[in-house]
Amino acid sequence: MKTKIITYIYAFSFIFLWNAFAAKVILQFLLNLKFIPADICYVIINIIPFIILFEVVAKILFLSTISSKLKFVPTQLEAISQIDTKTFNYYTNALESLGFTKISDLELSESSLSVVRLFSHPKHLCFAEVMQAPGRSLVFCAIDSALEQEWSVSFRDNSPTQAIVYAFLRRPRGIIVVQHGVTPEELLRSHLKFRQKIMRDLNLQLLPDISMEAYFDQSQRSRTRLRKALWRKSVIIGLVEMGLFSLKSEAQKSEWLGDYARLAVRKG
């Protein structure tokens, strides 16, 4: 409700200021350019406020659905209905055989978005997450590492690929690679190989803290950066990207390298 009130106040304030001052000044500027026909100038003046209103209002409403504060709370997966405990146990056995240590079962308290079984690896200094959204059958594993300068690397053996996530929720320094159907051992091997490559190419160091507190802090920082990136993102451009998403190959949908390729070429 608070977000809607703020949105309405902004919208009415913008319309008033636009009609009272800005429209006249911009229209006069366009007319003085001479090479733009007057009819086109009036069309531009009528379109601009709708574009600006749409961009800002849509962002405010979108951001209202993404909490600025993340809070994970310990839970017992067995106590949550519709959890695929068989698959969770499979991943638990596989990850522990690879040297991972279980930290805790967690639930995202802001919604029923997901439950997570969190692991850490004392040798490779990375996290592993086994995730499921209650009520959904998909359970997948992600292996994550945090690097300097806000870089992160996440390799997953499955993940829902959605156009809206690609268009609006990806980050330039948040690398995500989905490798469908691989075993946890293969996933870890690929993750470590790529992590070493990006550390070498961009001269980055690994963040070694693998405590639960570090996991919480990294998750919160990622959420904050995500909200900032979303605010800078053009809604109209994002909608175009959503429309073009279906034209991408499965390989393109399963890999997001952000700014890595561009920066690696520059440093090379």
Side-chain angles (χ1 to χ4, degrees), residues 143-174:
I143 297 179
D144 307 313
S145 292
L147 308 177
E148 291 180 317
Q149 301 176 25
E150 301 181 349
W151 284 92
S152 64
V153 178
S154 178
F155 271 59
R156 305 170 182 182
D157 64 356
N158 205 337
S159 184
T161 303
Q162 299 175 346
I164 189 171
V165 173
Y166 173 82
F168 291 103
L169 302 183
R170 67 189 195 270
R171 296 186 296 108
R173 298 192 175 191

Side-chain angles (χ1 to χ4, degrees), residues 16-240:
F16 172 78
L17 292 174
W18 177 264
N19 291 329
F21 307 105
K24 297 176 182 178
V25 174
I26 296 176
L27 177 60
Q28 190 59 50
F29 171 78
L30 292 175
L31 291 173
N32 289 338
L33 293 178
K34 303 299 184 182
F35 61 85
I36 302 179
D39 291 343
I40 300 299
C41 292
Y42 284 103
V43 170
I44 293 173
I45 289 299
N46 288 324
I47 291 177
I48 287 177
F50 289 102
I51 294 176
I52 296 176
L53 273 175
F54 177 75
E55 285 279 350
V56 178
V57 172
K59 285 179 183 179
I60 292 174
L61 294 177
F62 198 179
L63 284 169
S64 70
T65 66
I66 303 176
S67 173
S68 60
K69 294 290 184 180
L70 274 176
K71 183 181 291 185
F72 288 96
V73 295
T75 187
Q76 293 292 329
L77 293 186
E78 294 77 11
I80 303 175
S81 62
Q82 298 177 310
I83 290 297
D84 186 350
T85 54
K86 181 179 180 180
T87 303
F88 268 91
N89 290 335
Y90 157 75
Y91 278 119
T92 298
N93 294 332
L95 291 170
E96 288 179 342
S97 70
L98 294 172
F100 282 93
T101 302
K102 177 184 172 182
I103 297 178
S104 180
D105 291 337
L106 303 166
E107 184 175 10
L108 188 61
S109 62
E110 67 174 355
S111 67
S112 60
L113 175 63
S114 63
V115 290
V116 180
R117 177 163 286 175
L118 180 65
F119 301 81
S120 64
H121 201 296
K123 177 183 178 181
H124 298 309
L125 302 178
C126 58
F127 291 106
E129 303 161 299
V130 181
M131 306 181 192
Q132 182 183 3
R136 299 183 182 179
S137 60
L138 178 64
V139 182
F140 67 94
C141 177
I143 297 179
D144 307 313
S145 292
L147 308 177
E148 291 180 317
Q149 301 176 25
E150 301 181 349
W151 284 92
S152 64
V153 178
S154 178
F155 271 59
R156 305 170 182 182
D157 64 356
N158 205 337
S159 184
T161 303
Q162 299 175 346
I164 189 171
V165 173
Y166 173 82
F168 291 103
L169 302 183
R170 67 189 195 270
R171 296 186 296 108
R173 298 192 175 191
I175 292 175
I176 297 176
V177 178
V178 181
Q179 297 182 316
H180 296 281
V182 302
T183 65
E185 182 179 6
E186 293 169 329
L187 192 68
L188 176 61
R189 188 185 305 120
S190 298
H191 175 89
L192 295 176
K193 181 178 180 181
F194 183 89
R195 188 181 75 178
Q196 187 61 35
K197 176 175 173 56
I198 187 176
M199 290 171 62
R200 181 180 65 250
D201 290 344
L202 300 186
N203 192 27
L204 297 171
Q205 295 297 317
L206 180 67
L207 299 184
D209 192 347
I210 52 171
S211 65
M212 188 160 65
E213 291 74 18
Y215 174 80
F216 291 159
D217 181 65
Q218 291 167 18
S219 298
Q220 181 58 57
R221 289 175 181 271
S222 178
R223 174 60 62 95
T224 300
R225 290 193 290 267
L226 175 63
R227 286 173 59 87
K228 288 181 179 179
L230 181 58
W231 183 253
R232 294 192 294 266
K233 176 80 176 186
S234 167
V235 176
I236 294 175
I237 292 177
L239 291 175
V240 172

